[in-house]
Amino acid sequence: MTSTIRCDIVSAEEEIFHGAAQMVVATGEIGELGIAPRHAPLITRLKPGQVRVILENGDEQFFYVSGGILEVQPQVVTVLADTAIRAKDLDEAAATKAKEAAERALANRTDALEIAQAQAELAQAMAQLQALERLRKALKH
Amino acid sequence: MAGGREIKSKIKSVQNTRKVTRALEMVSASKIRKAQDLMKASRPYARLMRQVIGHIAKANTEYQHPFMVARTELKRVGYIVVSTDRGLCGGLNSNLFRRLIAEIRELSDRGVQIDVVAIGSKANAFFKRLKVNLVGSATHLGEKPQLNSLIGVIKVMLDAYTDGRIDQLKLAYNDFVNTMTQKPTIDTLLPLPPSNGLTNTHEWDYIYEPGPEVVLDHVLARYIESLVYQATLENLASEHAARMVAMKSASDNATKAIETLSLIYNKARQAAITQEISEIVGGAAAV
């Protein structure tokens, strides 16, 4: 039997995932992180993107988070997501629209604050689209 | 028949009141379930957040975050007061405010000043009348409070604490125990209470990405936000429970009042009939 690590993913509104995993992959602030069992204690902020959980039987599950906190203890990974929605619940059209709106805002506005906001929105929309894309590929197989 | 019509219209008006209170009772009875679901749904987050904070408190951090250090001097205390947006919920708000006022008075006697942010219009109205420093408010959160609408007021207080304008931050809300009981509660948010004596066996610390300051700032702010959010949900459930109970007793009282009034009305009617008969009999005897 392969060793596993307990993984909890929650958002302020609900519990999203709870179970054993072989590996948890998330986008940390300074790069992609792959957390295997008995990882050293680590704490970091998450960037908008997906959290990939590789289950005991090798299956993968995707979750989209728009930011949050990742805490690692040797036996447990905790993801405190700001908003985590199951990837399949994502509305692709809405994501595209948000991206377009953000791009438009980027093109038109010069205000520094608005640009920062638009960039954040753009990053979120792209991450959502990526999560969807990967989910779609996974479903096809 | 003296006063018969007046009594009748009085009965009618009490009946109308009862209709309203009954409706309010039923509305709250259905809303309380939703509020409790919300409360339950947000519990895992709060639990894991507490767990993470517990780990952080135990970690051997070289960097001491200001939120974790108790200040020696207490000059100004900040309160986040969670109340309802609407009235007609019994003594829910007034019980909480009474406890708060007692505490605030005690603090002002010692020369400590008070800052307040109000969540919910009742607290807003109450502290506007009072001579305390109201530094922020969030009202009309609706049936499904969003964390977004709370972030502003929380940030006001966290910034005040970081800048040293307040030396302690407290949170006042109604804790939902069950439908019959709601407990006015005042918790200390900052400085974080020291972890309960669990000294760990070996020294360890986190790997912080990108750095301890940035990460701890973020985590602790999220922690406080989650506590306030949880308190708001507790308060919402408390509001519906309190309103349900208050409206139920109002309906019961109305029923009782109607019974008494009907009795008076029937007695008056009976008295009038008796009088009429005796008048007729008296008249017949005289003829």
Side-chain angles (χ1 to χ4, degrees):
Chain A
M1 206 192 115
T2 49
S3 66
T4 57
I5 187 163
R6 210 176 78 222
C7 176
D8 289 306
I9 303 178
V10 292
S11 78
E13 276 103 22
E14 61 186 333
E15 183 167 30
I16 288 146
F17 177 82
H18 171 85
Q22 276 184 36
M23 181 128 105
V24 180
V25 182
T27 320
E29 193 154 36
I30 46 179
E32 194 105 334
L33 287 161
I35 313 291
R38 289 196 289 281
H39 192 285
L42 176 140
I43 191 160
T44 184
R45 291 198 293 194
L46 289 178
K47 282 210 292 199
Q50 55 190 351
V51 176
R52 192 150 55 94
V53 180
I54 302 165
L55 301 174
E56 253 175 305
N57 55 11
D59 282 357
E60 291 189 1
Q61 276 201 17
F62 298 95
F63 304 95
Y64 166 75
V65 295
S66 64
I69 301 161
L70 175 86
E71 194 233 8
V72 182
Q73 289 284 335
Q75 301 304 331
V76 57
V77 182
T78 311
V79 178
L80 298 162
D82 290 347
T83 321
I85 323 157
R86 277 176 176 271
K88 57 182 144 195
D89 292 344
L90 283 185
D91 189 341
E92 188 170 12
T96 316
K97 212 158 121 197
K99 189 177 153 194
E100 276 169 9
E103 272 167 352
R104 222 175 305 129
L106 265 185
N108 296 340
R109 296 273 152 54
T110 46
D111 193 58
L113 183 79
E114 276 174 7
I115 285 186
Q117 207 176 356
Q119 270 170 345
E121 275 171 29
L122 183 65
Q124 271 195 22
M126 302 243 284
Q128 284 185 349
L129 283 173
Q130 262 175 23
L132 273 171
E133 204 55 46
R134 235 183 261 192
L135 185 76
R136 186 171 302 141
K137 269 186 209 147
L139 284 178
K140 255 184 213 158
H141 293 159
Chain B
M1 192 173 130
R5 194 168 300 156
E6 282 86 346
I7 298 172
K8 216 160 191 188
S9 73
K10 184 93 197 155
I11 291 178
K12 199 100 205 144
S13 95
V14 177
Q15 268 169 346
N16 283 337
T17 309
R18 187 173 62 175
K19 251 183 228 159
V20 173
T21 57
R22 276 251 170 90
L24 275 171
E25 182 194 333
M26 281 190 279
V27 167
S28 281
S30 80
K31 277 184 182 167
I32 192 173
R33 207 166 321 129
K34 270 183 218 144
Q36 268 177 297
D37 286 347
L38 271 181
M39 223 168 69
K40 259 180 232 148
S42 76
R43 253 185 212 149
Y45 186 85
R47 182 173 51 81
L48 286 172
M49 191 52 133
R50 260 199 305 278
Q51 197 180 309
V52 170
I53 292 292
H55 289 159
I56 289 176
K58 275 196 253 167
N60 218 311
T61 321
E62 76 272 29
Y63 166 72
Q64 279 281 330
H65 196 275
F67 284 1
M68 293 181 157
V69 186
R71 309 226 170 124
T72 43
E73 215 180 341
L74 199 65
K75 286 198 294 278
R76 195 177 262 274
V77 176
Y79 279 95
I80 296 177
V81 183
V82 185
S83 73
T84 68
D85 269 329
R86 270 171 263 169
L88 288 182
C89 47
L92 190 74
N93 288 322
S94 30
N95 286 344
L96 181 68
F97 294 160
R98 202 176 308 132
R99 269 205 64 183
L100 257 176
I101 285 298
E103 209 178 291
I104 287 175
R105 191 162 295 149
E106 201 227 327
L107 283 172
S108 351
D109 286 347
R110 282 195 280 143
V112 180
Q113 283 171 307
I114 308 292
D115 274 0
V116 172
V117 298
I119 297 174
S121 359
K122 288 290 161 187
N124 202 10
F126 181 78
F127 285 105
K128 239 187 235 164
R129 260 188 288 126
L130 228 72
K131 285 207 167 46
V132 294
N133 195 8
L134 190 67
V135 290
S137 73
T139 56
H140 304 291
L141 302 171
E143 292 307 322
K144 222 177 159 192
Q146 299 286 319
L147 191 56
N148 283 345
S149 42
L150 297 176
I151 287 173
V153 285
I154 298 168
K155 193 159 168 42
V156 166
M157 276 304 181
L158 291 185
D159 285 351
Y161 188 86
T162 319
D163 297 350
R165 272 178 281 133
I166 57 172
D167 303 306
Q168 204 176 33
L169 178 59
K170 291 188 166 193
L171 172 68
Y173 64 102
N174 279 292
D175 193 17
F176 181 86
V177 183
N178 56 41
T179 318
M180 295 307 292
T181 328
Q182 297 87 37
K183 207 169 102 223
T185 311
I186 302 177
D187 288 342
T188 303
L189 293 181
L190 294 175
L192 290 178
S195 66
N196 32 6
L198 276 167
T199 46
N200 55 325
T201 44
H202 61 287
E203 297 196 346
W204 61 277
D205 194 11
Y206 283 111
I207 305 166
Y208 296 94
E209 286 187 13
E213 259 181 78
V214 183
V215 173
L216 285 183
D217 256 356
H218 185 78
V219 173
L220 293 176
R222 279 296 137 82
Y223 175 60
I224 300 297
E225 275 167 17
S226 85
L227 287 180
V228 176
Y229 180 65
Q230 187 73 25
T232 311
L233 295 183
E234 295 265 351
N235 202 71
L236 183 71
S238 297
E239 174 187 352
H240 290 311
R243 180 168 300 129
M244 198 175 82
V245 172
M247 288 303 116
K248 181 158 174 44
S249 73
S251 306
D252 291 350
N253 285 344
T255 309
K256 237 179 260 163
I258 290 170
E259 267 170 30
T260 323
L261 284 172
S262 313
L263 198 66
I264 294 171
Y265 175 75
N266 287 341
K267 266 190 191 154
R269 194 185 52 152
Q270 200 59 52
I273 293 169
T274 313
Q275 195 187 347
E276 258 173 52
I277 290 176
S278 64
E279 270 165 17
I280 291 166
V281 171
V287 173

